[in-house]
């Protein structure tokens, strides 16, 4: 007989059955996680998925696929934790046990990082534990004891962000645990007070006794906490699944208290959240009232329509604090789960959009995701593209973004410089992607403001970024006449070796050729030996510092068309430049960086890209670039700080640092560079000490520079970098 066809291994990327299982687990609950109206759809999805997975879950090969996909989704998609909790409860007891065992391993990993950046992941995992207890998969008393142990050990934030999802806590029967959290927040975590007030309102709301409590109950159950285990058909399915074949319902799975162990308590963090619409609305109303009192503005009448900022502030204020808190958690988890895929993240966010207050809450949360400490440039690009995706999906979101830009402009003086930079990055990218369309006329009055006015300076910053993203002339028909002169002038080169106003180029002292003549020779692609001979013949009598500047400007002149041209020009001149750098190399490399800044002083963003490129490809050291940029005049420019962040991220040249991708570029984050042709990646753990030493030297140089700064904006920007990388 013919040999039996071997079964294909589960989990391969080309396995249609495995891919189908994963997709079904990922999409369950989409479109039905918010509001009582989604209950019927959610019920149908869960019962249907249980039936579809019936044969797969107990299969030796595909059962592992089901469990792995379900656990991964439950520990990532925190806003759908109730959905996955109910789905686990609908599966056979043996499968539930296997999932819980894997979940315990995930909990250990999450708690190990819970005191640092992993706090949000720990909260999501604990939330899934709460949902499994709701569905009687886990023993409730064991879980409550474990959560109490975490609070006593000092892990307050993650427990607080999970507890409201525990139905018994919302019902008011976990008073001891709530009291422990309350005491911990009051004694040592004042930074969590606002979050705890919101969580407490939800926990208090279901205890009954007042109209407000009943309103909170409806809000919590219908809007914030989808409870599929309370749906009648799901409840019946639970009962059937636990009594099949006449067997006794299995007891909830016990949880060992040793699982709830942490290495160190989570520490207090500064609240960096920008309440954009609230603050801008209050500022606008105060400004308007002042003008009315002075007679500059007519008194308000009931028939008069309120401004967009006033309406935005009222919409956000109408949203209950506890609802905003839960939605802010959901939005942050969506960002973490879907990065770097803006389309999928946008679809998830739009499930919560309502055409009213939630739209403004979503946009405010997304803008806050760009603020605070420096974040990876891939994440910056993701959030920027996500905001664009939302605006393209719904015109009403574009109106909310217009309100947001107006709000930023209004409260700009109170926003620290690093955060204004991040908002300018986003706004310039957004306008560029929308083809420059924007109601510029509303900001015409800023053109008459002094150059040190914060609002005017922020607009100029946006226009400078726009000029880097597209041809400035393309904006001329779109912007109003008073705004146009605020755009930066066209990029021009500046060099003592090139004549101004189109005259004949001077011949430098001691040289036999002008810079344009030398550039013409270099463009013929001479060999390194021919270049060395040419330098000896034509530049031998030049003074050393002038000769070095001449060679740097020669490379920049030859490569001014693009980054690729510049890279090839410096590579062609590498040998002769190295010869000039041999004596007192450290200081001579600083002179190279100064020469680049001087040549492209009309476009400091472009100069920054070139300096980063020269450091990444070992033409000059990161420390030399840093020393040049740490000069007080350079620290006054916002364009300096993306370069410093790039150097701190990658303090060694690409050839010598450990194998990892070159930094990606956000709109104006770390400059993107391609891997050098022929460069061999270093082993995974190579140069760890060298990289740490190089970064330490940079941080020491920056710390010294920070101590001598007088500018508040420069101090804030540099302090932000130091705090992050230290």
């Amino acid at each position: 007989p013919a040999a039996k066809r071997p079964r294909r291994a589960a989990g391969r990327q080309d396995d249609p059955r495995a891919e189908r299982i994963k997709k079904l687990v990922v999409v369950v609950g989409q479109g039905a996680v918010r509001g009582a109206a989604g209950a019927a759809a959610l019920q149908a999805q869960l019962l249907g998925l249980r039936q579809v997975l019936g044969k797969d879950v107990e299969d030796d090969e595909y059962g592992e696929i089901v469990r792995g996909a379900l656990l991964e989704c439950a520990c990532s998609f925190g806003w759908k934790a109730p959905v996955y909790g109910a789905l686990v409860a609908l599966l056979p007891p043996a499968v539930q046990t296997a999932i819980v065992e894997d979940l315990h391993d995930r909990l250990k990993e999450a708690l190990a990082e819970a005191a640092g950046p992993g706090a949000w992941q720990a909260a999501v995992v604990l939330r899934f534990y709460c949902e499994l207890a709701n569905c009687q998969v886990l023993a409730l008393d064991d879980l409550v004891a474990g959560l109490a142990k975490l609070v006593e050990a000092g892990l307050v934030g993650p427990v607080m962000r999970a507890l409201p999802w525990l139905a018994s806590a919302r019902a008011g029967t976990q008073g001891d645990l709530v009291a422990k959290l309350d005491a911990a927040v009051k004694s040592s975590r004042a930074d969590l007070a606002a979050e705890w007030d919101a969580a407490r309102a939800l926990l208090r709301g279901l205890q009954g006794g007042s109209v407000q409590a009943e309103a909170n109950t409806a809000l919590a159950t219908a809007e914030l906490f989808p409870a599929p285990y309370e749906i009648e058909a799901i409840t019946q399915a639970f009962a059937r699944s636990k009594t099949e074949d006449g067997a006794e319902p299995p007891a909830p799975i016990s949880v060992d208290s040793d699982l709830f162990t942490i290495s160190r308590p989570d520490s207090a963090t500064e609240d960096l959240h920008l309440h954009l619409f609230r603050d801008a609305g209050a500022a606008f109303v105060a400004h308007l009232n002042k003008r009315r009192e002075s007679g500059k503005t007519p008194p308000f009448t009931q028939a008069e329509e309120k401004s967009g900022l006033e309406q935005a502030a009222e919409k956000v204020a109408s949203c209950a604090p506890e609802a905003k808190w839960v939605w802010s958690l959901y939005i942050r988890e969506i960002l973490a789960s879907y990065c770097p895929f803006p389309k999928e993240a946008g679809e998830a966010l739009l499930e919560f959009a309502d055409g009213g207050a939630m739209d403004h809450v979503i946009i405010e949360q997304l803008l806050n995701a760009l603020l605070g400490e420096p974040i990876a440039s891939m994440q910056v690009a993701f959030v920027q593209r996500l905001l664009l995706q939302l605006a393209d999906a719904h015109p009403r979101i574009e109106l909310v973004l217009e309100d947001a830009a107006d709000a930023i402009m209004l409260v700009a003086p109170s926003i620290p410089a690093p955060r204004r930079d991040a908002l300018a990055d986003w706004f310039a990218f957004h306008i560029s992607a929308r083809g420059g369309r924007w109601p510029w006329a509303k900001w015409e009055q800023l053109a008459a403001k002094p150059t040190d006015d914060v609002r005017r300076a922020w607009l100029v910053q946006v226009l400078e970024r726009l000029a880097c993203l597209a041809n400035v002339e393309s904006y001329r028909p779109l912007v109003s006449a008073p705004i146009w002169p605020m755009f930066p002038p066209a990029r021009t080169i500046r060099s003592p070796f090139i004549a101004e106003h189109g005259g004949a180029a001077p011949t430098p002292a001691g040289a036999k050729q002008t810079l344009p003549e030398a550039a013409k020779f270099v463009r013929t692609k001479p060999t390194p030996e021919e270049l060395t001979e040419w330098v000896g013949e034509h530049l031998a009598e030049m003074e050393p510092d002038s000769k070095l500047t001449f060679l740097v400007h020669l490379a920049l002149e030859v490569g001014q068309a693009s980054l690729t041209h510049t890279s090839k020009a410096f590579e062609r001149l590498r040998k002769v430049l190295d010869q000039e750098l041999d004596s007192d190399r450290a200081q001579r490399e600083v002179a190279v960086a100064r020469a680049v800044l001087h040549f492209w002083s009309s476009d400091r963003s472009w100069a920054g890209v070139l300096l980063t490129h020269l450091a990444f490809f070992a033409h000059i050291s990161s420390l030399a670039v840093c020393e040049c940029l740490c000069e007080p005049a350079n620290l006054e420019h916002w364009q300096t700080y993306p370069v410093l962040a790039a150097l701190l991220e990658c303090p060694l040249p690409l050839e010598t640092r450990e194998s990892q991708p070159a930094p990606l570029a956000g709109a104006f984050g770390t400059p993107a560079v391609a891997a050098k042709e022929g460069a061999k990646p270093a082993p995974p753990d190579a140069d760890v000490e060298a990289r740490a030493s190089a970064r330490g030297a940079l941080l020491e140089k920056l710390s010294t520079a920070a101590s001598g700064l007088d500018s508040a904006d420069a101090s804030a920007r540099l302090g932000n970098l130091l705090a992050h990388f230290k």
Side-chain angles (χ1 to χ4, degrees):
K4 186 176 180 181
R5 185 177 180 181
R7 187 173 185 179
R8 182 164 50 191
R12 284 172 43 186
Q13 289 188 351
D14 59 347
D15 185 344
R17 184 177 173 187
E19 293 304 310
R20 174 173 167 270
I21 289 171
K22 293 175 184 177
K23 183 175 181 180
L24 288 172
V25 174
V26 168
V27 302
V28 65
Q30 284 185 197
V33 297
R34 179 170 176 254
L42 185 55
Q43 173 178 297
Q45 286 188 34
L46 285 169
L47 294 177
L49 184 56
R50 176 191 183 226
Q51 184 176 1
V52 169
L53 297 178
K55 296 180 180 179
D56 292 319
V57 290
E58 295 182 285
D59 183 277
D60 289 341
E61 297 181 57
Y62 289 96
E64 186 177 350
I65 300 294
V66 174
R67 295 193 301 272
L70 203 159
L71 188 63
E72 189 63 35
C73 290
C75 293
S76 300
F77 303 157
W79 64 99
K80 293 202 295 184
V83 177
Y84 292 112
L87 182 57
V88 171
L90 290 171
L91 299 178
V95 178
Q96 294 178 10
T97 301
I99 290 174
V100 169
E101 289 175 355
D102 292 340
L103 179 60
H104 290 340
D105 293 334
R106 183 63 70 94
L107 177 64
K108 292 177 184 177
E109 295 174 6
L111 291 180
E113 301 292 332
W120 292 95
Q121 178 68 46
V124 172
V125 175
L126 291 174
R127 192 182 305 164
F128 186 44
Y129 269 86
C130 291
E131 292 297 347
L132 291 177
N134 292 341
C135 298
Q136 301 179 31
V137 173
L138 293 180
L140 176 62
D141 291 344
D142 290 351
L143 175 61
V144 172
L147 294 176
K149 182 179 177 181
L150 290 178
V151 175
E152 291 168 358
L155 193 69
V156 180
V159 176
M160 178 190 66
R161 296 176 187 121
L163 187 60
W165 280 258
L166 188 63
S168 63
R170 294 202 304 272
T173 60
Q174 302 298 339
D176 290 344
L177 179 54
V178 172
K180 287 180 184 293
L181 269 172
D182 190 61
V185 171
K186 290 179 179 177
S187 64
S188 60
R189 293 304 304 273
D191 59 304
L192 295 177
E195 283 195 71
W196 177 234
D197 287 344
R200 229 2 245 274
L202 293 168
L203 297 172
R204 189 166 49 236
L206 296 198
Q207 295 175 19
S210 70
V211 175
Q212 182 60 42
E214 293 177 3
N216 285 344
T217 299
L219 173 70
T221 55
E223 293 294 321
L224 302 177
F225 305 106
Y229 49 85
E230 296 179 357
I231 300 174
E232 183 177 358
I234 297 292
T235 305
Q236 293 173 359
F238 285 170
R240 287 197 304 273
S241 66
K242 295 179 182 298
T243 58
E244 287 175 353
D245 302 325
E248 288 293 322
I253 301 170
S254 61
V255 183
D256 190 345
S257 62
D258 289 342
L259 286 169
F260 298 91
T261 303
I262 58 173
S263 57
R264 60 189 176 93
D266 56 342
S267 54
T269 56
E270 183 183 359
D271 181 15
L272 297 173
H273 189 88
L274 181 64
H275 299 280
L276 190 59
F277 294 112
R278 182 198 69 185
D279 296 346
F284 181 82
V285 170
H287 172 71
L288 206 58
N289 289 339
K290 185 177 179 180
R291 289 182 62 86
R292 284 173 179 148
E293 289 171 2
S294 64
K296 296 179 180 179
T297 302
F300 178 77
T301 63
Q302 292 297 326
E304 183 180 342
E305 185 177 356
K306 293 183 178 180
S307 70
L309 282 180
E310 288 177 287
Q311 295 180 45
E314 289 178 358
K315 286 179 181 178
V316 173
S318 69
C319 187
E322 56 267 31
K324 282 194 288 188
W325 176 66
V326 172
W327 282 326
S328 70
L329 297 183
Y330 288 164
I331 292 168
R332 187 157 187 167
E333 290 155 12
I334 287 172
L335 293 180
S337 299
Y338 285 110
C339 182
F341 303 106
K343 183 176 183 295
E344 291 77 5
E347 291 171 354
L349 285 172
L350 287 173
E351 288 195 39
F352 299 98
D354 62 357
M358 260 309 295
D359 291 359
H360 288 77
V361 171
I362 288 173
I363 296 305
E364 186 170 282
Q365 288 294 329
L366 293 181
L367 291 176
N368 270 284
L370 297 170
L371 307 179
E373 291 185 344
I375 59 176
S377 43
M378 180 177 72
Q379 190 176 343
V380 172
F382 164 65
V383 176
Q384 290 177 344
R385 283 161 175 77
L386 175 54
L387 286 162
L388 187 64
Q389 174 81 22
L390 293 173
D392 289 338
H394 280 285
R396 70 171 189 266
I397 300 292
E398 182 69 17
L399 296 177
V400 177
L401 289 172
E402 185 176 330
D403 288 341
D406 288 340
I408 293 167
M409 182 63 76
L410 191 58
V411 300
S414 64
I415 302 176
R419 308 178 84 190
R420 290 202 306 270
D421 295 346
L423 292 169
D425 282 348
W426 157 69
F427 190 48
F429 170 80
H430 190 80
I431 291 179
S432 175
R434 306 294 279 178
R437 297 188 302 275
W438 183 257
W440 297 102
K442 65 169 69 177
W443 290 345
E444 287 181 354
Q445 70 275 16
L446 293 174
K449 296 284 186 181
T451 55
D452 60 351
D453 180 85
V454 176
R455 296 183 180 92
R456 185 185 191 280
W458 187 75
L459 178 57
V460 169
Q461 204 172 342
V462 170
L463 299 179
E464 288 175 346
R465 285 165 159 82
L466 272 175
C468 295
L469 292 171
N471 181 5
V472 173
E473 287 298 321
S474 65
Y475 296 112
R476 186 185 288 271
L478 302 173
V479 302
S480 53
I483 298 290
W484 177 251
M486 298 171 69
F487 271 94
R491 183 192 299 169
T492 56
I493 59 178
R494 182 184 170 201
S495 171
F497 311 114
I498 295 178
E500 297 181 4
H501 312 300
T507 302
K512 297 180 180 179
Q513 281 191 347
T514 64
L515 188 70
E517 291 171 340
K520 185 176 180 180
F521 169 72
V522 174
R523 290 189 179 103
T524 64
K525 302 180 181 179
T527 64
E529 292 73 21
E530 290 171 337
L531 268 171
T532 303
E533 183 180 347
W534 177 87
V535 169
E537 180 182 349
H538 294 85
L539 308 181
E541 297 180 12
M542 287 188 73
E543 188 270 330
D545 290 344
S546 179
K547 182 179 179 181
L548 179 62
T549 303
F550 184 90
L551 289 172
V552 173
H553 285 198
L554 174 60
L556 295 170
E557 167 68 15
V558 171
Q560 66 173 293
S562 69
L563 179 60
T564 301
H565 287 80
T566 302
S567 176
K568 290 180 178 178
F570 270 97
E571 201 58 47
R572 196 169 294 145
L573 290 166
R574 183 187 284 271
K575 184 176 180 180
V576 294
L577 278 169
D578 282 345
Q579 291 172 351
E580 293 302 316
L581 294 172
D582 279 344
S583 61
D584 194 13
R585 188 176 186 96
Q587 289 303 313
R588 302 280 280 170
E589 286 185 348
V590 177
V592 171
R594 291 192 185 112
V596 172
L597 274 180
H598 181 83
F599 192 88
W600 286 121
S601 57
S602 66
D603 190 342
R604 298 186 69 90
S605 293
W606 178 241
V609 170
L610 297 182
L611 288 174
T612 309
H613 183 86
L614 293 179
F616 281 173
F617 293 117
H619 293 283
I620 55 178
S621 68
S622 295
L623 191 61
V625 176
C626 180
E627 184 169 340
C628 171
L629 294 179
C630 281
E631 294 169 358
N634 293 327
L635 289 173
E636 293 295 327
H637 296 276
W638 63 264
Q639 297 96 330
T640 295
Y641 297 90
V643 183
L644 293 175
L647 298 179
L648 288 166
E649 246 184 84
C650 311
L652 294 178
L654 293 181
E655 298 93 334
T656 57
R657 62 189 183 88
E658 70 172 312
S659 179
Q660 65 183 63
L664 298 174
F668 290 89
T670 306
V673 291
K676 187 177 179 180
E677 293 182 8
K680 296 180 179 180
D685 296 321
D687 298 317
V688 174
E689 292 184 6
R691 191 171 69 258
S693 176
R695 182 176 290 117
L698 293 175
L699 289 172
E700 183 178 355
K701 181 71 66 177
L702 292 173
S703 298
T704 303
S707 63
L709 283 176
D710 295 326
S711 166
D713 284 354
S715 296
R717 290 181 174 116
L718 193 51
N720 196 47
L721 273 181
L722 290 170
H724 175 68
F725 284 99
K726 282 185 176 179

